[in-house]
């Protein structure tokens, strides 16, 4: 489109104010604006005109609080079984799933920056904890490389064989992600092992009349990502999912950017998919009321037909008020929501996945989630846009696929990092989960302690001194024993169980001690620890380590610390 056609388009879709400003800017600015409009018209499904048409419908429904589930009854999905971590069933599922990981691919949806968290870089570059300073992307790659190592040894595969790893980026993160990986030599992955899919941004919308937002720094439209549901469109558009299938891959595992515990449930979730022949398998955990994750609901229509839907969090309060409890998204007696929460670890069988996304060309249903100024719902706090969700692929199912669900303990596989330090502390005061950098660090330690002590039964904690406790934002934050288990030490819970049960005695450690287990090594006898110990080679004798080099956390002084420390409010000493 040239300038005249751009003006005609803008006038047709009600953007007269932008047209007036466009005619007043310099020829250079006009050229740049016309170039952007052409790019956005290609990026928008059906072009800008159809994008605005769809937005008007969705915004009207949102303003009127129209509920798309009004024709259904809502029930708790009691018939979705929860996997008991450490049970015979769990280990059987994990073993079953692990067998097909050699024919699987991993897809990381990672389009976000860490600005909201107070972190300047890409979110997957944020350090998960301060002991090893491993960022999220390194942790994820370690898991995949550990799978490869075990599979390669067992199957006697060539060193050239690998599990494909694909990362979806955005315009904000694409170059930064590539540079970050290059700087760190892909954290050990092969150059041809990692591929990238960059999602487009779409026009931001100012109000219910769908006036488009202009940037403040230059005469261009403000744009925002279309949501992580774009991963399906990109996999279809580029032919990448088809290529994987043609290469003999059978399963695809998709996961989000900042869940440090996500891989704990991957093998068993794949095992569930195999056992029950699911084409799409979505994972769920216990959800806290008001938590910004969707919830799984059982829907019953007027004829009594049952179905299930993963309903996004912004719809739950009004839905529950109307259809469930008359109160909204409020906590039950245990402090949680009655409905399980979406984890966004998704397992797809590749062959039916290709059929599911073929007709809609990978395009999943859109929604809009404006943040309103007040209850009149007439003004937005900030520009909004149409969005899509990766977990909404099941909405494309007709009679061409089967959907299943896997329900896990929350501590086992969910640790979100969504909030900055100030907001996290405010959430804690309200009895909500912090979901920030310091809570992730604590939850990593808690998982490792729980899996070794309560599930496998080979860890004993001896309390010898007060817990390491800090006061951050009027909130008491305590740290117990600090345990890190590298994927290279145990790629699965099954392998961890076998290694720890191989020991003749338990690992005993004091409550402020630090234990790091790294590399594919064996501990023959046991460990008695009071201090700091890194195990990265075989231990044949019983080890008594009383160096008392406890890693302790301390509050940062004003102006002190690096980004990844300031977003936590503390640093470590004694390492």
């Amino acid at each position: 489109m040239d300038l005249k056609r751009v003006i005609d388009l803008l006038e047709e879709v009600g953007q007269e104010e932008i047209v007036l400003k466009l005619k007043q800017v310099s020829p250079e600015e006009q050229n740049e604006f016309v170039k952007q409009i052409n790019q956005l018209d290609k990026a928008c499904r059906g072009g800008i005109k159809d994008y605005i048409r769809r937005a008007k419908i969705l915004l009207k429904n949102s303003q009127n609080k129209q509920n798309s589930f009004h024709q259904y009854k809502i029930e708790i999905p009691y018939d979705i079984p929860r996997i008991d971590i450490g049970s015979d069933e769990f280990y059987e599922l994990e073993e079953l799933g692990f067998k097909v990981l050699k024919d699987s691919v991993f897809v990381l949806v990672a389009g976000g920056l860490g600005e909201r968290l107070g972190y300047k870089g890409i979110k997957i570059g944020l350090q998960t904890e301060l002991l090893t300073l491993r960022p999220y992307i390194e942790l994820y790659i370690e898991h995949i490389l550990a799978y490869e190592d075990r599979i390669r040894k067992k199957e006697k595969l060539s060193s050239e064989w690998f599990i494909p790893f694909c990362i979806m980026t955005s315009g904000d993160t694409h170059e930064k992600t590539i540079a970050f990986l290059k700087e760190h030599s892909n954290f050990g992955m092969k150059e041809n092992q990692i591929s990238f899919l960059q999602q487009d941004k779409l026009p931001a919308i100012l109000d219910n009349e769908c006036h488009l937002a202009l940037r403040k720094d230059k005469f261009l439209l403000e744009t925002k990502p279309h949501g992580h549901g774009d991963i399906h469109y990109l996999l279809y558009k580029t032919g990448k999912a088809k290529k994987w299938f043609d290469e003999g891959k059978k399963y695809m595992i998709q996961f989000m950017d900042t869940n440090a515990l996500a891989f704990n449930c991957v093998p068993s979730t794949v095992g569930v998919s195999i056992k029950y022949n699911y084409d799409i398998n979505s994972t769920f955990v216990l959800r806290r009321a008001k938590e910004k994750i969707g919830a799984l609901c059982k829907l019953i229509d007027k004829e009594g037909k049952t179905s299930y839907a993963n309903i996004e969090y912004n719809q739950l309060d009004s839905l529950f008020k109307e259809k469930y409890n008359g109160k909204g998204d409020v906590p039950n007696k245990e402090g949680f929501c009655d409905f399980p929460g979406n984890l966004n670890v998704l397992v797809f069988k590749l062959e039916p996945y290709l059929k599911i996304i073929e007709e809609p060309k990978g395009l999943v249903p859109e929604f809009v989630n404006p943040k309103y100024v007040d209850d009149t719902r007439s003004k937005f706090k900030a520009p909004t846009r149409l969005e899509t969700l990766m977990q909404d692929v099941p909405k494309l199912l007709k009679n061409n696929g089967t959907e299943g669900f896997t329900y896990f303990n929350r501590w086992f596989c969910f640790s979100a990092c969504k909030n900055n330090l100030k907001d996290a502390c405010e959430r804690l005061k309200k009895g909500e989960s912090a979901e920030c950098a310091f809570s992730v660090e604590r939850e990593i330690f808690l998982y490792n302690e729980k899996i070794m002590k309560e599930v496998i039964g080979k860890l004993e904690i001896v309390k010898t001194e007060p817990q390491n406790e800090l006061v951050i934002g009027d909130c008491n934050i305590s740290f117990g024993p600090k345990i890190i288990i590298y994927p290279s030490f145990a790629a699965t819970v099954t392998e961890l169980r076998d290694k720890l049960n191989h020991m003749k005695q338990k690992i005993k450690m004091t409550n402020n001690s630090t234990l790091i287990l790294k590399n594919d090594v064996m501990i023959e006898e046991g460990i008695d620890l009071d201090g700091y110990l890194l195990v990265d080679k075989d231990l044949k004798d019983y080890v008594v380590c009383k160096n008392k080099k406890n890693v302790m956390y301390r509050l940062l002084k004003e102006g002190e610390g690096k980004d990844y420390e300031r977003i936590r409010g503390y640093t470590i000493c004694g390492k």
Side-chain angles (χ1 to χ4, degrees):
M1 289 184 287
D2 57 15
L3 178 60
K4 182 181 183 307
R5 289 186 177 181
V6 165
I7 289 173
D8 290 343
L9 171 63
L10 292 173
E11 288 178 338
E12 185 179 358
V13 295
Q15 309 299 317
E16 289 81 4
E17 188 173 335
I18 291 179
V19 170
L20 183 62
K21 293 179 180 179
L22 175 60
K23 292 178 178 179
Q24 296 173 349
V25 299
S26 68
E28 291 78 16
E29 290 174 306
Q30 289 178 344
N31 290 337
E32 193 175 0
F33 185 85
V34 167
K35 182 180 178 181
Q36 185 199 35
I37 291 295
N38 278 284
Q39 291 171 341
L40 290 173
D41 200 51
K42 291 178 181 178
C44 293
R45 181 179 77 189
I48 291 175
K49 182 178 178 180
D50 197 58
Y51 174 78
I52 291 177
R53 179 191 64 79
R54 301 193 309 272
K56 284 183 176 179
I57 295 171
L58 291 170
L59 283 168
K60 183 178 180 181
N61 292 342
S62 176
Q63 185 180 25
N64 295 332
K65 298 184 180 181
Q66 185 170 321
N67 194 328
S68 56
F69 300 97
H70 67 275
Q71 71 271 35
Y72 296 100
K73 291 181 180 179
I74 303 292
E75 289 186 359
I76 301 170
Y78 287 116
D79 47 348
I80 303 299
R82 184 184 300 185
I83 305 299
D84 184 16
I85 310 305
S87 65
D88 290 343
E89 178 194 26
F90 169 78
Y91 289 121
E92 288 168 6
L93 290 170
E94 192 171 64
E95 183 179 0
L96 185 62
F98 191 79
K99 287 179 181 178
V100 303
L101 289 184
K102 73 181 180 71
D103 299 318
S104 301
V105 299
F106 285 86
V107 178
L108 168 61
V109 178
L113 293 168
E115 292 173 340
R116 187 174 63 180
L117 309 175
Y119 181 72
K120 294 178 181 178
I122 54 177
K123 283 204 288 185
I124 58 172
L126 171 63
Q127 285 71 12
T128 54
E129 33 78 18
L130 298 189
L131 287 178
T132 68
L133 294 178
R134 290 174 300 165
Y136 282 94
I137 185 63
E138 182 177 6
L139 179 60
Y140 300 149
I141 287 175
E142 283 179 353
H143 278 286
I144 297 171
L145 292 179
Y147 294 158
E148 284 181 2
D149 177 68
R150 286 7 179 219
I151 294 167
R152 194 178 284 118
K153 290 174 180 176
K154 186 174 182 179
E155 304 282 335
K156 296 180 171 55
L157 298 174
S158 161
S159 60
E160 297 303 309
W161 170 84
F162 58 78
I163 296 174
F165 181 37
C166 179
I167 304 173
M168 187 182 85
T169 61
S170 68
D172 293 329
T173 64
H174 186 73
E175 296 300 330
K176 292 181 174 69
T177 301
I178 292 173
F180 189 74
L181 284 165
K182 184 176 181 180
E183 179 186 352
H184 295 91
S185 303
N186 294 330
F187 295 105
M189 273 194 167
K190 296 176 173 62
E191 195 70 37
N192 61 337
Q193 183 170 2
I194 305 176
S195 58
F196 301 90
L197 296 172
Q198 182 180 350
Q199 69 174 153
D200 291 314
K201 288 185 174 184
L202 301 183
I205 298 168
L206 276 174
D207 50 37
N208 288 321
E209 287 71 42
C210 282
H211 293 116
L212 300 180
L214 288 170
R215 287 171 52 170
K216 295 179 180 179
D217 58 336
K218 58 172 62 177
F219 189 75
L220 291 173
L221 292 182
E222 183 178 343
T223 57
K224 293 191 175 188
H226 194 215
H228 45 61
D230 271 0
I231 184 59
H232 306 294
Y233 171 67
L234 293 170
L235 287 170
Y236 173 84
K237 177 184 175 184
T238 62
K240 187 166 286 292
K242 175 71 163 55
K243 177 176 178 289
W244 288 330
F245 176 69
D246 291 343
E247 292 171 349
K249 300 304 178 184
K250 298 176 181 177
Y251 285 90
M252 172 174 60
I253 298 100
Q254 295 183 358
F255 62 103
M256 293 289 288
D257 51 7
T258 52
N259 180 3
L261 302 180
F263 272 77
N264 295 336
C265 71
V266 165
S268 50
T269 302
V270 177
V272 170
S273 292
I274 296 169
K275 182 176 180 178
Y276 297 103
N277 197 29
Y278 292 152
D279 296 329
I280 303 174
N281 188 4
S282 306
T283 49
F284 291 84
V285 295
L286 202 61
R287 177 183 179 273
R288 297 184 188 278
K290 305 291 186 183
E291 192 168 23
K292 292 185 178 181
I293 59 174
L296 181 66
C297 297
K298 185 175 182 178
L299 308 179
I300 304 170
D301 66 17
K302 294 178 181 178
E303 283 73 43
K305 184 180 178 181
T306 297
S307 61
Y308 298 87
N310 177 29
I311 300 175
E312 188 61 357
Y313 68 89
N314 64 309
Q315 301 180 58
L316 293 175
D317 193 61
S318 59
L319 179 66
F320 291 165
K321 280 180 183 176
E322 179 185 350
K323 294 288 182 178
Y324 177 59
N325 57 12
K327 299 178 182 178
D329 189 11
V330 296
N332 56 26
K333 293 179 181 179
E334 288 75 38
F336 291 93
C337 173
D338 289 334
F339 296 79
N342 172 44
L343 186 60
N344 263 350
V345 175
L346 307 174
V347 175
F348 298 94
K349 196 186 294 183
L350 264 176
E351 185 174 12
Y353 174 78
L354 291 172
K355 295 176 182 177
I356 291 165
I357 65 172
E358 176 65 33
E359 183 181 338
K361 296 180 169 41
L363 297 165
V364 297
E366 293 171 311
F367 72 101
V368 68
N369 185 21
K371 305 297 186 292
Y372 296 104
V373 172
D374 52 39
D375 291 341
T376 65
R377 302 172 80 86
S378 58
K379 294 183 179 180
F380 305 161
K381 291 181 179 179
T384 190
R385 84 285 199 188
L386 298 190
E387 299 181 65
T388 56
L389 300 171
M390 59 190 285
Q391 65 267 28
D392 277 351
V393 167
K395 292 180 179 179
L396 304 177
L397 283 172
K398 295 178 181 177
N399 296 316
N400 58 347
T402 57
E403 178 186 15
F405 312 95
T406 307
Y407 192 10
F408 290 101
N409 297 92
R410 185 183 176 99
W411 63 266
F412 178 66
C413 54
F414 184 62
S415 180
C417 188
K418 298 180 179 180
N419 301 302
N420 60 44
L421 185 59
K422 180 181 177 182
D423 291 346
C425 291
E426 290 301 317
R427 287 174 61 86
L428 282 179
K429 292 173 187 176
K430 297 176 188 175
E432 301 173 359
S433 53
E435 297 186 348
C436 67
F438 72 65
S439 65
V440 169
E441 186 151 8
R442 293 172 70 229
E443 285 158 359
I444 289 172
F445 299 149
L446 176 63
Y447 163 78
N448 290 327
E449 177 186 350
K450 203 174 184 75
I451 204 78
M452 292 174 66
K453 180 182 176 183
E454 298 180 18
V455 176
I456 301 174
K458 295 293 281 190
L459 174 68
E460 179 184 348
I461 305 298
V462 181
K463 187 169 183 178
T464 59
E465 56 188 352
Q467 295 282 87
N468 184 190
E469 188 170 290
L470 305 175
V471 178
I472 303 175
D474 296 327
C475 297
N476 292 326
I477 312 297
S478 64
F479 293 89
K482 293 165 278 293
I483 303 172
I484 294 292
I485 304 172
Y486 275 77
S488 61
F489 180 81
T492 63
V493 179
T494 303
E495 184 180 10
L496 181 64
R497 176 200 62 181
D498 293 345
K499 283 194 170 186
L500 295 183
N501 284 336
H502 177 79
M503 298 186 307
K504 294 178 181 177
Q505 300 184 52
K506 291 182 178 182
I507 293 175
K508 184 168 73 173
M509 60 189 294
T510 56
N511 60 298
N512 281 327
S513 288
T514 300
L515 175 65
I516 300 177
L517 304 175
K518 186 178 183 181
N519 298 337
D520 187 11
V521 299
M522 297 298 295
I523 304 169
E524 296 293 333
E525 298 290 337
I527 296 171
D528 185 359
L529 174 62
D530 184 7
Y532 176 95
L533 180 65
L534 166 65
V535 178
D536 59 357
K537 58 185 178 182
D538 292 335
L539 297 181
K540 295 184 178 180
D541 300 320
Y542 188 79
V543 173
V544 178
C545 179
K546 304 285 185 177
N547 58 28
K548 295 189 180 295
K549 294 180 180 178
N550 292 332
V551 175
M552 303 296 281
Y553 291 79
R554 68 164 179 82
L555 291 174
L556 288 172
K557 299 172 184 176
E558 189 171 345
E560 184 186 15
K562 298 180 179 178
D563 266 7
Y564 59 80
E565 293 173 319
R566 286 196 292 269
I567 66 172
R568 290 170 162 85
Y570 57 74
T571 186
I572 59 174
C573 52
K575 181 179 172 183

